[in-house]
Amino acid sequence: MTLKRVLIGLVVLVVAVIVAGYAILSQMDMDRLRGIIEAEAKTATGRDLKIAGPIDLNISLTPSISVQDVSFANTKWGSEPNMVTLKEFDVEVAILPLLSGEIEVKRLVFIEPKILLEVNRKGRGNWVLAKPKGQAAETAPEPSEPAADSEPGELVFPTIGEFTIQGGSVIFKNRQTKERYNLALDQVNATTDGATTAMTLSLTGSYNGSPIEMQADIGSIANLASGQSSSLKTNIKAGGADLKVDGTLANKAAGPEFDLLINVAGKSLADLSDLAGTPVPPLGPYSLKADLVGKGQTYKVSDMALTMGQSDLSGDAEVSLAGERPAVTAALASKLFDMKDFSAEAEQKKKKKKAKKEEPAQKPGEESKFVFTKDPLPLDGLSAADANVKVNVAEARLADKMKVNDIEVVVDLQNGHLKVSPLSAVFAEGKIDGGVDVNSAVKKPEVAVDIVASGINYGKLLKEMDIEKNVAGKINVDVALAGRGKSMRQIASTLSGNTSIVTQNGTINNRVIKILAVGLDNVMGPLLAGENNVQLHCFVSKFKINKGQANSKAFLLDSEVLTVIGSGKVNLKKETLDLHFDTATTEASLSSLAIPFDVTGTLKQPKVKADALGAASSAAKAVSGLADDDSLLGQIAKTADETLSGGEQQAASGEGLCQQALTGKKPKTNKKSKKKTESGDKASGTDALKEVEDNLKKSLGFD
């Protein structure tokens, strides 16, 4: 048989099939076809599929079918009767390509499709179809070996010449989370000349009421389906943002691969609130440029350039999912990081004000009496991933006119063990160095902090922040602490180490002294009056901490006007205070007010009260200042003062006291420091004070 006869025979066969098919389809009862379709859908899904409108069939070499008023029933618990409704569905298919195994859809049109997706309170979606009655559970077939002459993964992908959606919508409701999302599609058009050519896509619509526009050129769909690389170029405008994506992507067997250049910019993140489905703070303007590469289980971000307001961040990052845990590596740098660019102050104040109005009155006994809470710290999260992140910031603005420069931080997290070292910065002309170590991999997590701040110029800092202009001095801080536990209370209870705060030879005023002596102004108020600048000899605070017991090794506030010497301990486990302070002043008019006092109570509720013996001594001195030594009042005052202080005179040497405190010795004035008296001393002091009181009453005629 010749080739010519074979070809003629095939043509005759094709024509015969087409003629026969046309004759059969043209005579088919459309109502009967409708019933068949609806019955098959019911059998397959267990739900009703209704075709209420006409079915139009056009027979040709590119036959088409049009179906109107289609609905697919929702589940019984659904909020609406139908899960899907469709005003009209049109499809046109080319017949001749079918002979070669190709599927060519000339035109596919959906008019006003409405899809409702919802989740009930049990977490079940309405798209989960119930098995029809009487249908046995299906058994998954055994995987079969591909034929020797077939290509593994080969897929016949249909070619769609024109795809259109007019006036569609997709609504999602979640009764568990109360979430609701609405995607409205005004118009969607996609055109292509074939499976191996690029597709042009345009979309207009809205998401949760926020307008969306998209233009895209997508490479060969056939290439993408077969695992080959395909180009992608898209421009999306939504939520006030302009997003551009340009690159390639491929659907490989080992996972998606892509190399995309991302460029996004907008005026305010708040414009994204509707898209996000939750309020977003009004931060911006913002922009992000980056090259995003994904291959297998590794994802890389390179040449990143992020801006938020005046702040910037650049660098590279990589995430690997190949190991036991995700692993993150990054090297980031910033010329300027301003906290204002990442905090919506006005919005936060409104929320706090509103929350304060709405929050119920606290019930008695509801508030914890501890500062350190027993709530577990989120240390388990440290085992979720490994990381090594390096960050360098040239300038950070933490608050209004408060700057930190040359920040260098390296964060290393391996198997639940977090190390932050180095941790260094320049602050107020001083240097900060140190590190943090948190090991959550052990049974009882270990926490260690080692921070040294030297030469911090608080005078310049206060001046730049418009707090004080006539203050000068530098301060050194040294903190080395370590503890164990899963909560702040457990860590505080086991804390050991040392703390040191030292400043010398400065110029301050009483406003600054009030800050240093915070909480003590109720007993030292008169001594802290006035705004005159004074010379600060030194301020020294040194504590040695052992297993939650903090013992004062030295506490001294010494200026040319006021001297405060402290001693005592703090129980960090019980959070109790047991501190004693002696005071002295060089101001003769205020010497009677320089009384010793005790600080007791707890960290949450400290109690400050004057020492009884010290108060009596000061009262005696006050009386002696009002009377001649030979007068009755003078004799009474002298007797009381000698009884209480042993006749010793108060004196202080700023240089000597500071040297004692700096060497770790408890400072002592020329007068021996009053130790806390035993019961007998208290009794004698009380008797003496009573004697002074009685004599005063008699001499003043109040007997």
Side-chain angles (χ1 to χ4, degrees), residues 379-402:
L379 299 177
D380 292 340
L382 296 178
S383 300
D386 294 337
N388 185 272
V389 180
K390 300 177 182 179
V391 181
N392 292 89
V393 181
E395 180 178 326
R397 299 174 184 171
L398 304 183
D400 189 27
K401 300 181 180 180
M402 180 184 288

Side-chain angles (χ1 to χ4, degrees), residues 17-313:
V17 169
I18 293 174
V19 171
Y22 179 84
I24 294 172
L25 293 174
S26 62
Q27 298 298 320
M28 180 174 290
D29 184 354
M30 292 297 105
D31 287 335
R32 182 184 175 190
L33 178 60
R34 185 198 321 273
I36 293 173
I37 295 174
E38 292 178 349
E40 289 296 326
K42 179 76 172 181
T43 302
T45 66
R47 298 189 195 175
D48 292 330
L49 174 70
K50 294 292 183 182
I51 304 175
I55 302 176
D56 295 328
L57 181 64
N58 180 27
I59 304 300
S60 67
L61 290 178
T62 56
S64 64
I65 186 170
S66 176
V67 182
Q68 298 182 23
D69 295 334
V70 180
S71 63
F72 182 66
N74 201 356
T75 186
K76 292 181 179 180
W77 51 262
S79 61
E80 296 183 17
N82 294 316
M83 176 180 170
V84 179
T85 61
L86 181 63
K87 185 175 181 179
E88 185 175 339
F89 167 75
D90 298 328
V91 61
E92 181 181 349
V93 182
I95 287 183
L96 291 179
L98 292 174
L99 299 176
S100 59
E102 297 179 2
I103 303 173
E104 183 179 339
V105 179
K106 306 289 289 185
R107 182 172 54 90
L108 181 61
V109 181
F110 295 90
I111 299 177
E112 294 185 18
K114 296 181 179 179
I115 302 173
L116 173 63
L117 304 175
E118 49 189 342
V119 177
N120 64 14
R121 292 184 178 87
K122 296 181 179 180
R124 185 181 179 88
N126 67 336
W127 56 87
V128 179
L129 303 175
K131 292 180 181 178
K133 293 181 179 180
Q135 179 176 324
E138 295 183 1
T139 304
E142 292 292 330
S144 57
E145 293 293 332
D149 58 349
S150 66
E151 292 291 334
E154 189 175 351
L155 175 65
V156 178
F157 201 86
T159 300
I160 302 176
E162 181 182 345
F163 174 78
T164 302
I165 297 177
Q166 298 177 3
S169 67
V170 179
I171 298 175
F172 176 78
K173 300 178 183 178
N174 191 326
R175 296 185 187 178
Q176 278 188 324
T177 61
K178 308 299 182 184
E179 294 174 306
R180 180 187 174 96
Y181 305 106
N182 187 350
L183 173 63
L185 300 174
D186 298 333
Q187 187 76 26
V188 178
N189 293 313
T191 58
T192 181
D193 294 331
T196 58
T197 60
M199 173 187 290
T200 300
L201 174 66
S202 65
L203 179 152
T204 58
S206 64
Y207 182 74
N208 289 341
S210 181
I212 298 175
E213 293 182 16
M214 183 176 74
Q215 299 289 334
D217 291 323
I218 304 173
S220 168
I221 301 298
N223 287 352
L224 187 61
S226 61
Q228 299 181 52
S229 179
S230 183
S231 63
L232 173 65
K233 187 174 184 179
T234 181
N235 186 359
I236 301 174
K237 294 182 179 180
D242 191 348
L243 170 64
K244 296 179 181 179
V245 179
D246 191 356
T248 60
L249 48 85
N251 186 24
K252 300 290 186 180
E257 293 184 5
F258 49 84
D259 186 347
L260 303 172
L261 180 62
I262 309 294
N263 191 336
V264 61
K267 292 182 179 180
S268 175
L269 290 179
D271 297 334
L272 298 171
S273 296
D274 290 335
L275 293 176
T278 186
V280 179
L283 306 179
Y286 62 91
S287 68
L288 171 64
K289 294 180 181 179
D291 189 9
L292 182 61
V293 177
K295 186 175 182 180
Q297 294 182 299
T298 302
Y299 304 91
K300 297 180 180 180
V301 178
S302 57
D303 299 327
M304 180 187 70
L306 169 69
T307 64
M308 181 70 72
Q310 297 182 5
S311 300
D312 67 89
L313 184 67

Side-chain angles (χ1 to χ4, degrees), residues 419-441:
K419 296 180 181 179
V420 182
S421 180
L423 173 60
S424 64
V426 174
F427 178 58
E429 298 182 349
K431 193 72 167 64
I432 300 175
D433 288 291
V436 177
D437 193 303
V438 180
N439 188 0
S440 66

Side-chain angles (χ1 to χ4, degrees), residues 585-628:
T585 179
T586 58
E587 296 287 340
S589 61
L590 297 176
S591 60
S592 62
L593 302 175
I595 61 174
F597 57 91
D598 297 322
V599 179
T600 58
T602 65
L603 292 176
K604 191 76 172 282
Q605 295 180 326
K607 298 177 182 179
V608 183
K609 62 180 180 179
D611 179 85
L613 291 176
S617 176
S618 296
K621 291 177 182 178
V623 172
S624 65
L626 297 174
D628 296 331

